[in-house]
């Protein structure tokens, strides 16, 4: 699937727009249109329902060490600045960036790659932001231009390496930046904190400084004690939250994949340290299965364990659920969700102060005066088990998903092209979204075949009977073939058509988006039939 086709479909049919488009857009920000908002809400609702409200607390799920409880939370986007100091985001949530003095562009150091090339004894590193074959082409064009050669002289260049990351290059004086015409225009890499800063109240100085949250997780940790004290939850239990997060990404790209404002769906699952490995295994598999159940499957989805070098500062084990997005080079996967074993890092940090690694464990980081560098709340965040009379700091397993990345993956997977017969039996090209019915923005479209003979009235009666239960759509404009095509294109799983036979026997035609199968159903039974098809009781 070519990504441009999906991007154009999303714009044309009101799924996704660039933010502030009439002013030229704002890089890294996206708006969901009338159909996109339904898709994203359906994803979030499916997650909330499957993880929280329909979770059966009395039964041990397959693969889980025991039964467990799940509750929800909705915490604020702006929190006390100390939260981010103790969590580590203030000190270590950064990327390295390089600036180009010539083009004035900024790049993420680890996202620029290039090739070593020489010509007449002069050796340079040609950098690019592209990937895969595109990167090879781009570096070739730039090298030809730099050495003043024509395309037909390409064999006069001597390539001395394949693609290597800019992080491997020590001497920037021989680097030709991705958008530069001369060598040595890139600055040395500098740290850049990804948190958006803002000011609370009338204080404009550092006193009033605060941050837009870069993850929803910390809102859960700082409410752990509130939830334990105000509800009857007992470990093991999870707290779930869906909400906006903000990261000032240096290079937002790949449509919504890396945005500066996005939504996360996170669970912090609190368990006894002795059972944390087993819970980690459970959540890795459980979350992977969730994507499969909603239609992501096969070779494009995988579960990958992090190598020790990849682990975040807090994590003692992480697995990513990854999807082979079509904008990535063949064989490359992008992260959809991370499942991290965070140990007791977060609760301890908010209790004692920011922690740093020491040997196999963590200790409070101290300043030159011996005091904690970022003091914690001092509140007791331990847990007391009434049954065993044991007091301990629970370990945390964190399945952390992105609602926007999930939406993008479901859209990429759903995009299909085929040929269907038109009303004369001739093959017609069709684009359709094979979205899981739970995710489809519109569940069914209701049409009168023609705008006469009482058909619109009959179709409107059906529409009105269905509308209180499902998001259905009524359309009587244009040829019925075109109306089917418009619904296929936005993933509507079923169409219901009132036709000539309806007046004779009271039945209507149901049509399946994927198989094109058509069958007749009594007009009065449309709600029951749709419920049956959608698996809703
Ligand atoms: N609390 C842990 C945490 O935030 P993360 O891997 O940084 O972990 C979790 O983020 C998920 O949030 C990612 O797997 C991804 O789905 C989503 N996400 C992160 N950064 C994003 C961005 N810039 N744009 C869109 N989604 C993003």
């Amino acid at each position: 699937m070519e990504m441009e086709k999906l991007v154009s479909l999303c714009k044309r049919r009101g799924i996704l727009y660039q933010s502030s488009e009439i002013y030229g857009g704002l890089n890294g920000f996206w708006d969901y249109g009338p159909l996109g908002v339904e898709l994203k809400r359906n994803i979030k609702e499916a997650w909330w329902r499957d993880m929280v409200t329909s979770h059966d607390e009395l039964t041990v799920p397959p693969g889980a060490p025991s039964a467990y409880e799940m509750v929800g939370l909705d915490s604020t986007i702006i929190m006390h600045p100390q939260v981010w100091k103790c969590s580590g985001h203030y000190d270590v949530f950064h990327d390295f960036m390089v600036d180009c003095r010539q083009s004035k562009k900024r790049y993420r150091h680890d996202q620029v790659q290039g090739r070593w090339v020489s010509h007449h004894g002069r050796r340079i590193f040609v950098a690019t932001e592209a990937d895969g074959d595109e990167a090879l082409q781009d570096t070739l064009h730039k090298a030809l231009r730099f050495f003043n050669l024509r395309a037909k002289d390409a064999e006069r260049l001597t390539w001395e390496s394949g693609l290597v990351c800019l992080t491997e290059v020590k001497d920037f004086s021989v680097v030709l930046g991705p958008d530069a015409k001369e060598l040595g225009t890139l600055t040395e890499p500098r740290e850049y904190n990804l948190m958006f800063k803002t000011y609370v109240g009338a204080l404009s100085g550092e006193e009033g400084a605060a941050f837009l949250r870069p993850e929803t997780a910390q809102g859960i940790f700082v409410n752990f004690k509130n939830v334990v004290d105000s509800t009857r939850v007992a470990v093991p239990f999870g707290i779930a939250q869906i909400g906006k997060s903000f990261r000032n990404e240096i290079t937002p790209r790949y449509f919504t994949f890396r945005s500066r404002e996005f939504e996360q769906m996170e669970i912090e699952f609190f368990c006894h340290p002795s059972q944390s490995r087993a819970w980690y295994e459970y959540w890795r598999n459980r979350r992977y299965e969730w994507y499969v159940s909603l239609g992501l499957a096969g070779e494009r989805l995988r579960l990958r364990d992090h190598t020790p070098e990849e682990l975040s500062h807090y994590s003692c084990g992480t697995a990513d659920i990854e999807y082979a997005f079509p904008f990535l080079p063949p064989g490359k996967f992008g992260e959809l969700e991370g499942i991290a074993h965070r140990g007791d890092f977060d609760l301890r940090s908010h209790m004692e102060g920011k922690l740093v690694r020491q040997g196999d464990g963590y200790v409070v980081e101290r300043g030159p005066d011996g005091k904690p560098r970022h003091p914690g709340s001092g509140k007791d965040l331990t847990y007391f088990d009434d049954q065993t009379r044991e007091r301990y700091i629970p370990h945390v397993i964190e399945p952390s998903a992105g609602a926007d990345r999930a939406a993008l993956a479901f859209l990429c997977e759903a995009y299909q092209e085929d040929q269907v017969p038109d009303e004369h039996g001739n093959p017609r090209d069709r684009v359709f979204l094979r979205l899981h019915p739970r995710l489809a923005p519109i569940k069914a479209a209701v049409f009168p075949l023609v705008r006469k003979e009482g058909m619109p009235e009959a179709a409107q009666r059906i529409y009105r009977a269905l509308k209180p239960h499902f998001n259905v759509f009524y359309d009587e404009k244009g040829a019925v073939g075109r109306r089917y095509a418009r619904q296929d294109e936005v993933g509507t799983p079923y169409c219901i058509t009132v036709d000539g036979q309806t007046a004779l026997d009271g039945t209507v035609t149901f049509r399946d988006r994927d198989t094109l199968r058509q069958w007749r159903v009594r007009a009065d039974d449309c709600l029951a039939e749709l419920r049956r098809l959608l698996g809703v009781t």
Side-chain angles (χ1 to χ4, degrees):
M1 194 264 288
E2 291 151 43
M3 201 56 204
E4 297 72 42
K5 290 186 179 173
L6 180 66
V7 174
S8 124
L9 171 71
C10 285
K11 166 99 205 273
R12 188 157 39 84
R13 295 305 310 273
I15 297 174
L16 274 158
Y17 314 122
Q18 203 186 0
S19 163
S20 326
E21 198 183 274
I22 59 168
Y23 288 104
L26 190 59
N27 201 6
F29 296 88
W30 295 92
D31 295 338
Y32 288 77
L35 290 178
V37 67
E38 297 299 333
L39 169 68
K40 195 168 158 196
R41 281 176 62 102
N42 290 342
I43 292 169
K44 291 186 287 181
E45 275 169 24
W47 184 89
W48 192 263
R49 208 176 145 66
D50 295 348
M51 297 301 121
V52 186
T53 49
S54 73
H55 168 66
D56 172 359
E57 299 176 346
L58 307 179
T59 307
V60 181
S66 68
Y68 62 91
E69 295 173 78
M70 288 296 298
V71 293
L73 182 81
D74 188 7
S75 69
T76 58
I77 285 171
I78 296 176
M79 293 191 274
H80 195 293
Q82 198 64 14
V83 169
W84 307 111
K85 293 189 174 158
C86 290
S87 69
H89 287 81
Y90 188 79
D91 289 340
V92 291
F93 191 59
H94 55 229
D95 283 330
F96 283 88
M97 61 179 184
V98 288
D99 287 311
C100 178
R101 284 182 282 259
Q102 191 175 60
S103 68
K104 307 288 175 229
K105 288 209 175 166
R106 174 166 286 180
Y107 312 95
R108 221 171 97 173
H109 189 208
D110 60 353
Q111 279 172 3
V112 176
Q113 50 177 354
R115 290 199 283 167
W116 287 103
V117 60
S118 58
H119 178 59
H120 281 325
R122 197 167 181 204
R123 184 169 181 266
I124 66 166
F125 183 82
V126 188
T128 177
E129 276 198 290
D131 281 319
D133 285 347
E134 222 181 293
L136 296 177
Q137 282 305 318
D138 193 40
T139 45
L140 170 63
H141 288 313
K142 287 194 177 120
L144 288 171
R145 204 171 46 218
F146 181 81
F147 288 116
N148 231 338
L149 295 171
R150 296 196 208 163
K152 66 180 172 58
D153 300 323
E155 73 281 0
R156 289 167 59 188
L157 293 171
T158 309
W159 293 100
E160 298 191 3
S161 75
L163 289 166
V164 285
C165 187
L166 185 63
T167 50
E168 313 268 307
V169 178
K170 299 283 168 287
D171 179 6
F172 274 27
S173 70
V174 289
V175 172
L176 181 64
D179 299 281
K181 295 191 175 65
E182 292 160 26
L183 297 182
T185 61
L186 295 186
T187 60
E188 287 300 313
R190 278 185 296 146
E191 280 184 46
Y192 167 91
N193 195 301
L194 298 180
M195 285 197 292
F196 278 100
K197 203 170 189 179
T198 187
Y199 296 91
V200 175
L203 301 168
S204 63
E206 280 312 293
E207 258 178 285
F211 300 96
L212 304 191
R213 68 179 174 201
E215 61 170 22
T216 59
Q218 297 304 322
I220 300 181
F221 294 124
V222 299
N223 276 294
F224 169 76
K225 188 171 159 48
N226 277 338
V227 173
V228 170
D229 290 351
S230 63
T231 70
R232 293 174 60 190
V233 288
V235 167
F237 72 93
I239 305 180
Q241 168 155 239
I242 297 181
K244 290 265 182 169
S245 292
F246 302 82
R247 295 183 191 177
N248 202 358
E249 299 281 358
I250 299 170
T251 48
R253 61 171 163 176
Y254 298 142
F255 205 13
T256 58
F257 181 82
R258 189 175 305 114
S259 307
R260 289 177 166 143
E261 174 175 340
F262 54 95
E263 257 179 303
Q264 289 186 307
M265 309 187 288
E266 298 200 289
I267 295 171
E268 305 305 325
F269 188 81
F270 301 93
C271 58
H272 191 277
S274 66
Q275 291 204 308
S276 58
R277 274 277 143 201
W279 281 113
Y280 170 65
E281 291 296 324
Y282 166 75
W283 278 108
R284 276 165 100 245
N285 301 333
R286 173 83 202 275
R287 292 299 306 143
Y288 179 82
E289 292 304 328
W290 187 78
Y291 291 99
V292 173
S293 75
L294 288 172
L296 294 192
E299 304 201 326
R300 284 185 292 274
L301 190 68
R302 75 174 184 193
L303 189 55
R304 185 183 66 83
D305 289 303
H306 278 206
T307 59
E309 301 76 59
E310 277 180 279
L311 293 179
S312 315
H313 60 282
Y314 52 75
S315 183
C316 46
T318 299
D320 281 346
I321 298 172
E322 300 181 327
Y323 183 73
F325 287 96
F327 43 74
L328 299 173
K332 289 253 173 68
F333 286 70
E335 178 186 329
L336 262 186
E337 166 161 355
I339 299 99
H341 185 312
R342 295 175 76 124
D344 60 5
F345 180 89
D346 304 276
L347 291 178
R348 266 190 70 197
S349 306
H350 288 303
M351 207 162 39
E352 302 168 18
K354 192 201 155 210
L355 302 175
V356 281
R357 207 183 259 284
Q358 193 176 77
D360 283 347
Y362 286 95
V363 292
V364 174
E365 186 179 351
R366 297 192 182 271
D369 55 2
K371 293 191 181 144
R373 199 165 113 70
H374 296 306
S377 67
K379 298 282 181 304
D380 181 5
L381 303 182
T382 58
Y383 175 79
F384 182 68
D385 187 325
D386 288 335
Q387 310 277 308
T388 61
R389 316 296 298 161
E390 186 188 0
R391 182 172 287 285
Y392 58 91
I393 306 174
H395 275 197
V396 170
I397 310 301
E398 179 199 63
S400 171
D404 308 84
R405 283 209 189 154
L408 187 57
F410 287 124
L411 283 168
C412 291
E413 182 82 12
Y415 186 94
Q416 308 272 329
E417 292 176 356
D418 68 357
Q419 286 203 323
V420 295
D422 66 11
E423 51 271 39
H424 310 294
N426 299 320
R428 168 178 71 76
D429 291 336
R430 169 172 90 134
V431 168
F432 70 112
L433 292 184
R434 201 187 209 125
L435 285 171
H436 189 288
R438 277 183 86 186
L439 304 184
I442 300 169
K443 306 299 179 203
V446 187
F447 308 146
L449 183 64
V450 288
R451 272 198 275 185
K452 53 188 180 188
E453 295 160 21
M455 289 186 208
E457 292 74 14
Q460 285 164 20
R461 271 197 299 280
I462 294 172
Y463 165 82
R464 290 196 187 98
L466 299 178
K467 192 68 176 170
H469 308 276
F470 296 110
N471 190 23
V472 295
F473 183 76
Y474 176 79
D475 188 7
E476 57 176 33
K477 294 189 203 103
V480 75
R482 278 197 53 76
R483 282 181 265 158
Y484 281 141
R486 282 183 64 76
Q487 292 306 315
D488 288 346
E489 208 179 34
V490 295
T492 307
Y494 303 105
C495 289
I496 302 168
T497 306
V498 170
D499 50 27
Q501 205 177 317
T502 309
L504 301 176
D505 64 6
T507 64
V508 296
T509 303
F510 260 70
R511 170 187 178 271
D512 181 292
R513 173 196 68 201
D514 302 340
T515 62
L516 302 177
R517 187 173 79 87
Q518 299 201 359
W519 67 102
R520 297 204 72 86
V521 172
R522 283 182 48 75
D524 293 343
D525 294 340
C526 284
L527 180 58
E529 179 70 351
L530 198 54
R531 281 206 161 114
R532 184 187 71 76
L533 292 166
L534 297 173
V536 179
T537 44

